Each structure stands twice: as C-alpha cells, then as structure tokens.
Amino acid sequence: MRKLVASFILTALAVAAAWWWLGRPLAAPAVATDPGRIQCMSYTPFRGDETPLDAATHAEAARIEEDLSKLARLTGCVRTYATDNGLDQVPAIAQRLGIKVLQGLWLGRDRQKNRVQIDTAIALAKRYPNAINGIVVGNEVLLRGELSPEDIAAVLREVKAATGMPVTYADVWEFWLRNRELAAAVDFITIHILPYWEDFPIAADIAAAHVDDIRSRVAATFPGKEILIGEVGWPSAGRMREGALPSRSNQAHVLEEVMARARAKNYRVNLIEAFDQPWKRYLEGTVGGYWGLFGGSSREPKFAWGEPVSDHPWWLWQLAVGLTLTAVVFAGAIRAGGGSSIAKAPGRVAAGIAAIGLVAGIAAPWALENVVIESFGPGGWIRGAAFAAVALAAPVVAAMTLAANERLPALAHVLGGPPPPYPPPQAGEGHVLGGPPPPYPPPLAGEGRVGALVARASGLVLVATAVLAIQTALGLVFDPRYRDFTDPELSAAVVPFAIATALGAGRAGPRRRAETIAAVTLAGSGLYIVLNEGFANWQALWFGAVLMVLAVTIDRLRDGRST
C-alpha cells in the first residue's frame, strides 16, 4: 500500500506541475506597450443568444450606455454596422459620453431593407453631426456577392450628397483590389485584414507584419487615398487553422503588435471587436464568438495591455479538479482491486493506474474548460455534457477495470447482451498426445464474475466515447471549417482505455464487423484530418493521434464473440 501512496503523491505532483505550466502567464511581445487611447473598436451590443439575424432583437439603451461607458476608458471611437436592432441609439449615447461613431449602414439583396438603412443613417448623420465622423456604406457586400460595385457606388454618392460627411465602403482587402473603380466614390478606403481567416492562414507571431504588408500593398494601389484598416483582430478561443492558433495570449500579442506598428507608421486601425458576440457562432462556429477584447457575459477585459497573459486563467480551479479526479482514480482502483490486495498486483498494473491518474488530472479539467467554451445552444450543451461525462468517467472505470484484472468487453457484447459460449476444444488442439486438452479461454468480463459491474460500466463508457469520436471525426472530414478539435475531451476518455487494454491480458480471435468498421472509420478519418489540416496544426495532429489510439484500442477488443 505504501507504493500506491507514493505513486499517488508523485502523480499528484506531476499534475500540479503540468497545470502550473499550462496556466503560467506568457510574456508580452517586446514591442507591446500601453496603447493609450485605442483609435477605434467595432461595437455590437448583443448578449447571450440575442442575434441581429432575428428582426425582433432590440438592444436596450441602458445596456448600450453601460457598454459604451466601459469602452470610453479605452477608446474615443466605435464602429457600428447597421441602424436596426437598437443600434440607432448609439450616436445619441456616444455623443453624451464624448465618443465618436463611425456609423455603419447594412446593405444586402433586399432593396427595401437597404432603403430603410440608408434613410436612417442619413437622418442620424444630420441629427448627430458632432458624434458621427464618417459613414460606412455597406460591409463585405462584394464578399457575399449581394450587390454590384455600381450599386454600392450609387449609394455612396447618395449618402455623401445628403450628409456632406466622409463616406467609405468596407470589405476584405482582396475585394478592393478586384474592384478598384469604387475608390472614386469614397473619401477613404476601409479594408479588413484578418490573418486568421486568410485563405492561407497566418500564424500569430507574424500576423502584425502581414497586416502591415497588406496595408502597404493597398496604399500603393490607391495613391492619395487614406487607408483605414476597418477590421483587424484575433480570436481568443476556437479551432486552429493551419498554424493560426486562437488563444488569449495570441489575441493580446497580435493586437499589441498591430497597435505598435500603427503608431510607428501613423495609420488608423479599428480593432474587432469590443465584446464577444456569441450569435456569430451560428455562422462561424466557436471561433466566431470570441473576437472581443471583453468577454460577452462578464463584459470584463480578457487581458491588460503590455502585461503577461494566461491561456488558462482559471488554472488553479482546474488543478483542484484534476487532483480530486486523480484521487478518485486511485481510490476506485484500490476498491476494485480488493483493498490491500491491489498492493500485490504486478508493477505494470500500478504503473498503469498512475498513468491513468496523470491523464485524468490534466486532460479532464482541460476538457471541462473546452466544454464551457465550445458548447452553444441546446444541442451543443447536450453534446458538451456527453463529452464531459466520458472525460470524467473513463479514467475511473478504466483504472478499476485494470485493477480488477478485468477485460474490456467487445462492442457487440456491450450493446447486445451476453455472447454465445465458446465451442469446446477439439482433440489434438495444442496439447500433448494423451494429456488433458487446453483450458477454455477465460470468461469475458461481465460473465458472472465479481467485476461484472465494473467491466460493464467500462464497456458502456467506451461505446459512448467511440460514438462521440466517430461523430466528431466525420464532421471534421466532411465539413471541417467551423468545427472544433475536441482534443482534451477525447484524450481524457480514450487514453485510459488504451492503457487498460494494453496492460490487460489480450484475447485472440477473428476480426468482427463492429470493431473493424469502427477502427477503420477512426483510423481513416484521423489520417485524412491530419493531411487536410496540415502539419502546422498541432490540434489536428493531436486529434488524429487520439483517433488512431482509439482505433487500435477498439481493434484489440475483437475476441471472437463480437458480431
């Protein structure tokens, strides 16, 4: 028992060291300094499940004032994108707070709605000339293919004539280069440069240089026109795209470097965006909801300018959860192994329990963090709860199965009840002539043995893990752009079973359909995902490796009884 206690202490120390390393604040880049007043920030007031895609959504004036009061400490300008859903209240509130507004009006295919947007924006500009310092006529309309350049130019000329204010059109930088004739209709050119969303994604450490280079390229194309970078930012959470990793530290570093370059070269930038907007996750997946400098629910800043940033700000709580789960793994193993008799188990069993405890202590708390970040909407939360359940349950039941000297049951055994008996051995099958025949293969877990409940629970959790893994893998194969890599969630569930299977006694037998189909699907998906996402994407590499491990684990379950 002393060896087990010592093993637990060493495992707990390793878990603590891992979480200290994961939670440590990462230093700011050398160029990072306090930016003073940020030039401008995109502002959208929606919270929770509110969405501008619903015409009934209306942001209350009090909430807008609360938001703008926070932003007034950092910036003297906000950019809006439309005039409906309560956004027509922004200029009046901004004027009281001394904030300028880059007023947006939304253009799309619906000409009638466009008319309302245009008329409202003109009326606001006339009513609040001291607050509105420019009008953005349309946002990424060419990108969406909803209007022609001629249509946009006509609206620009109308708004300019009616208000006398500076007007511009905003789109991704490539679309300005493809539609240069629009430059004649604007007072300044507004381009969007989002390194994460580029066709060839740009890593965070070179994102600011990329923004600077693109701006210079556009400026050279349109000499004499001011270039406003109307959107530049970086997401704080979500899936990697090649080498572009969303994280809090990367968000801080990219924005700090962009601001430093803008100050040094004296050009204007508008950061996207002020507050996280969960509704964008309907369109862009998890990553779409995490571009804000402030959290969507907390309305608190994610980082302090120029200071180190942790990518796991709640790591102490996660460490507490990890240590608790590690203790539960060891306690469960001792209980399943028969109390003090577990101390007499082979060394590989004790090592396996320690390894499972280590995985549980690191991966499971990380999985819970990801579930909170990635779950959105009723379906998303149900799926997230399922991932959380297997991440927490798998280490415990796998360690108990290993300690009880049980075998994981085959898939069909779990789903279809007890398997048929083995046929009796034939005479002459591997025994000395005249001697006793070889013994029957030992019974599978769950066939009347003491550990039946433990093995059955392990089988059920493994089946649930396989279903979640296959569903996620196929999504990343056929529709990957906005889907997350559930690396910690699957690692917490898969690795313990792999350890229990690798250290437990194997069982020979022919391949059967259930295990073969599942293993081939997982392995094939893992290989395709890695090749499709690229080797710079370590989230994809991790995910592919976990799928391979699960495929091997399931393949080892073929015991001659699965159908």
Side-chain angles (χ1 to χ4, degrees):
M1 189 62 70
R2 290 181 179 178
K3 290 183 179 180
L4 278 177
V5 172
S7 180
F8 168 72
I9 292 174
L10 290 175
T11 303
L13 289 174
V15 169
W19 273 112
W20 171 83
W21 185 81
L22 288 170
R24 76 197 189 286
L26 301 177
V31 299
T33 58
D34 186 341
R37 303 289 285 174
I38 297 172
Q39 293 170 355
C40 203
M41 300 170 68
S42 292
Y43 172 66
T44 313
F46 309 115
R47 305 185 186 187
D49 59 358
E50 293 178 338
T51 170
L53 304 177
D54 180 359
T57 299
H58 183 82
E60 298 297 329
R63 278 176 27 193
I64 294 175
E65 184 159 1
E66 178 186 346
D67 287 344
L68 294 186
S69 296
K70 285 181 177 290
L71 298 183
R73 303 167 193 165
L74 296 176
T75 185
C77 168
V78 294
R79 175 189 171 185
T80 62
Y81 290 79
T83 63
D84 49 359
N85 303 114
L87 285 164
D88 56 335
Q89 303 170 100
V90 171
I93 297 170
Q95 183 166 279
R96 290 201 304 271
L97 297 173
I99 298 176
K100 297 296 184 181
V101 178
L102 192 55
Q103 178 65 51
L105 66 88
W106 192 263
L107 295 179
R109 288 192 176 91
D110 191 321
R111 304 280 177 164
Q112 186 175 356
K113 290 183 178 179
N114 289 351
R115 187 73 261 162
V116 174
Q117 290 278 330
I118 295 166
D119 292 344
T120 304
I122 290 173
L124 289 171
K126 291 179 176 179
R127 187 173 182 181
Y128 302 104
N130 295 326
I132 297 176
N133 61 357
I135 302 175
V136 184
V137 178
N139 183 75
E140 297 185 351
V141 187
L142 296 174
L143 172 66
R144 299 192 303 274
E146 294 180 342
L147 292 176
S148 69
E150 293 75 19
D151 292 330
I152 298 169
V155 179
L156 282 162
R157 287 191 289 267
E158 177 186 352
V159 173
K160 176 69 174 179
T163 65
M165 286 189 172
V167 296
T168 187
Y169 166 70
D171 214 322
V172 176
W173 62 273
E174 294 103 323
F175 286 85
W176 268 105
L177 298 183
R178 297 174 194 171
N179 300 276
R180 303 182 184 189
E181 66 274 17
L182 267 177
V186 301
D187 293 297
F188 59 96
I189 291 171
T190 300
I191 59 174
H192 295 171
I193 311 175
L194 300 172
Y196 173 86
W197 281 127
E198 294 282 19
D199 292 337
F200 299 97
I202 307 299
D205 58 342
I206 58 173
H210 172 77
V211 171
D212 197 32
D213 289 344
I214 294 298
R215 183 203 167 275
S216 297
R217 178 178 170 184
V218 175
T221 304
F222 299 100
K225 287 284 187 181
E226 180 189 1
I227 309 298
L228 166 67
I229 301 178
E231 285 186 0
V232 61
W234 194 267
S236 63
R239 56 109 72 210
M240 286 186 75
R241 297 186 70 236
E242 297 185 13
L245 172 66
S247 71
R248 285 173 174 257
S249 61
N250 280 347
Q251 182 185 53
H253 293 180
V254 169
L255 296 185
E256 287 165 350
E257 289 195 39
V258 166
M259 291 293 295
R261 287 174 179 265
R263 287 195 303 273
K265 296 189 177 182
N266 195 31
Y267 56 79
R268 289 198 298 157
V269 298
N270 173 77
L271 303 185
I272 184 167
E273 56 193 332
F275 298 95
D276 283 344
Q277 292 297 296
W279 66 273
K280 291 184 178 180
R281 297 173 65 174
Y282 287 120
L283 306 175
E284 302 173 0
T286 295
V287 72
Y290 289 97
W291 288 75
L293 278 73
F294 291 78
S297 299
S298 69
R299 309 314 256 191
E300 293 299 323
K302 296 178 184 176
F303 60 88
W305 291 89
E307 296 183 9
V309 182
S310 172
D311 288 328
H312 300 276
W314 303 283
W315 72 271
L316 287 174
W317 286 103
Q318 290 173 287
L319 171 59
V321 172
L323 292 177
T324 300
L325 187 57
T326 300
V328 172
V329 166
F330 273 84
I334 292 171
R335 176 69 180 85
S340 60
S341 62
I342 186 67
K344 302 176 183 178
R348 61 181 173 79
V349 173
I353 293 168
I356 292 172
L358 180 63
V359 171
I362 299 171
W366 194 343
L368 296 179
E369 177 186 14
N370 275 17
V371 165
V372 173
I373 290 173
E374 295 168 1
S375 299
F376 187 66
W381 279 106
I382 291 172
R383 181 171 177 270
F387 267 115
V390 297
L392 293 172
V396 178
V397 296
M400 294 177 72
T401 300
L402 179 61
N405 196 28
E406 294 286 346
R407 296 180 181 86
L408 292 172
L411 300 181
H413 184 195
V414 175
L415 299 174
Y422 275 102
Q426 301 298 313
E429 277 190 13
H431 63 278
V432 179
L433 196 61
Y440 280 83
L444 275 175
E447 296 177 13
R449 299 177 63 181
V450 174
L453 183 61
V454 170
R456 183 72 173 175
S458 290
L460 290 171
V461 175
L462 179 57
V463 167
T465 300
V467 170
L468 289 169
I470 291 172
Q471 183 264 342
T472 304
L474 293 179
L476 284 164
V477 168
F478 293 105
D479 185 24
R481 183 173 174 86
Y482 301 125
R483 295 183 183 272
D484 298 309
F485 298 100
T486 53
D487 295 335
E489 297 97 311
L490 279 182
S491 296
V494 169
V495 176
F497 285 126
I499 293 171
T501 303
L503 297 181
R507 182 183 288 277
R511 293 180 180 273
R512 298 293 178 171
R513 285 193 298 263
E515 285 77 14
T516 299
I517 292 172
V520 169
T521 300
L522 289 164
S525 297
L527 179 61
Y528 175 84
I529 289 167
V530 169
L531 295 176
N532 185 55
E533 296 288 342
F535 291 100
N537 187 333
W538 61 257
Q539 288 185 349
L541 292 174
W542 181 359
F543 188 80
V546 174
L547 292 186
M548 294 292 183
V549 171
L550 181 56
V552 172
T553 301
I554 289 176
D555 185 67
R556 288 174 62 90
L557 299 180
R558 51 186 175 88
D559 56 18
R561 302 184 179 198
S562 180
T563 58

